[in-house]
Amino acid sequence: ELKVEQNPLFLSMQEGKNYTIYCNYSTTSDRLYWYRQDPGKSLESLFVLLSNGAVKQEGRLMASLDTKARLSTLHITAAVHDLSATYFCAVGINNNDMRFGAGTRLTVKP
Amino acid sequence: GAGVSQSPSNKVTEKGKDVELRCDPISGHTALYWYRQSLGQGLEFLIYFQGNSAPDKSGLPSDRFSAERTGGSVSTLTIQRTQQEDSAVYLCASSLYPGQGAREQYFGPGTRLTVT
């Protein structure tokens, strides 16, 4: 059974600081997704990573994928309050399916 | 263009009643998914439809849960004899092509179900 583990599950950080969220998974996969969810809202796609060594950046967020280590990271640079949300990674399985991690609830404090 | 839509946005029902939740996927998307998210929790996979293939029902928590997808488009998730533990947000997502490209899932706004 596929396991997708995120850590930390809760993250409180100061504005301006850097931090990394980790996503480990237990089976081979060719694609990894990061989503953002604001309170009371649905999920918004952030990144899709499709190959080993893939790196994508959008603003203060950068995601990377190491398929050999079965690890993806979401790095936050110089955090701002607007980044406060829950971040989910999801691992692609089978042909068109994915399974989600438990999510990392990020709070950025002034 | 129009995204994934779900209705109702909120549903309050009494324990033991049946409920139906509706999902309209993005036009042309062949894959449709249902997830459940309990308060403060991650996403629990429920069921997955792909074209005309038999759905993957492996995530349905009990036989009180069922889903259908008519004409390869709209889907209905039915929960019979609702229990309080069924209270959650039910999210629907759709995806364009199987086996090609990013196969990214696009999520609807969800239906918040409260069983009293």
Side-chain angles (χ1 to χ4, degrees):
Chain A
E1 180 185 345
L2 171 65
K3 291 185 179 180
V4 183
E5 296 182 345
Q6 283 184 242
N7 71 85
L9 298 181
F10 297 92
L11 175 57
S12 180
M13 57 190 298
Q14 296 269 312
E15 279 191 330
K17 298 293 186 182
N18 304 332
Y19 207 84
T20 300
I21 299 170
Y22 297 88
C23 176
N24 291 274
Y25 53 98
S26 62
T27 192
T28 302
S29 174
D30 61 352
R31 55 198 198 281
L32 192 292
Y33 307 83
W34 285 96
Y35 285 86
R36 168 180 173 147
Q37 186 178 37
D38 291 292
K41 305 292 186 181
S42 192
L43 277 75
E44 172 193 355
S45 178
L46 293 175
F47 300 108
V48 181
L49 303 168
L50 299 178
S51 61
N52 186 41
V55 176
K56 290 195 174 179
Q57 183 164 3
E58 179 76 29
R60 301 174 187 273
L61 300 178
M62 183 173 70
S64 66
L65 178 62
D66 182 341
T67 57
K68 294 180 181 179
R70 298 177 184 171
L71 170 68
S72 180
T73 61
L74 180 67
H75 187 72
I76 303 157
T77 302
V80 293
H81 179 69
D82 285 352
L83 291 179
S84 296
T86 299
Y87 293 86
F88 291 95
C89 68
V91 177
I93 62 170
N94 303 323
N95 209 22
N96 203 33
D97 202 358
M98 63 175 72
R99 293 292 180 268
F100 284 79
T104 297
R105 187 175 299 179
L106 171 65
T107 303
V108 181
K109 298 181 177 180
Chain B
V4 178
S5 61
Q6 292 185 245
S7 61
S9 55
N10 282 283
K11 177 72 178 178
V12 180
T13 190
E14 292 181 352
K15 178 181 173 181
K17 301 283 190 182
D18 297 352
V19 294
E20 286 190 351
L21 312 179
R22 177 187 169 106
C23 173
D24 281 273
I26 293 172
S27 177
H29 280 197
T30 62
L32 186 147
Y33 312 79
W34 284 99
Y35 297 88
R36 178 169 70 175
Q37 187 175 32
S38 300
L39 186 62
Q41 302 297 311
L43 274 72
E44 175 188 5
F45 166 77
L46 297 177
I47 188 169
Y48 158 45
F49 294 90
Q50 175 54 59
N52 295 320
S53 302
D56 176 357
K57 304 180 182 180
S58 59
L60 294 178
S62 78
D63 58 9
R64 296 187 295 105
F65 287 72
S66 63
E68 61 178 23
R69 188 179 185 192
T70 54
S73 181
V74 171
S75 177
T76 303
L77 177 68
T78 301
I79 308 173
Q80 295 178 310
R81 306 181 301 282
T82 51
Q83 304 294 314
Q84 287 186 332
E85 60 263 29
D86 299 334
S87 296
V89 175
Y90 290 81
L91 290 165
C92 175
S94 70
S95 177
L96 185 55
Y97 292 124
Q100 296 183 30
R103 287 160 274 177
E104 191 173 358
Q105 293 184 17
Y106 296 85
F107 283 81
T111 294
R112 183 177 298 276
L113 174 66
T114 304
V115 182
T116 61

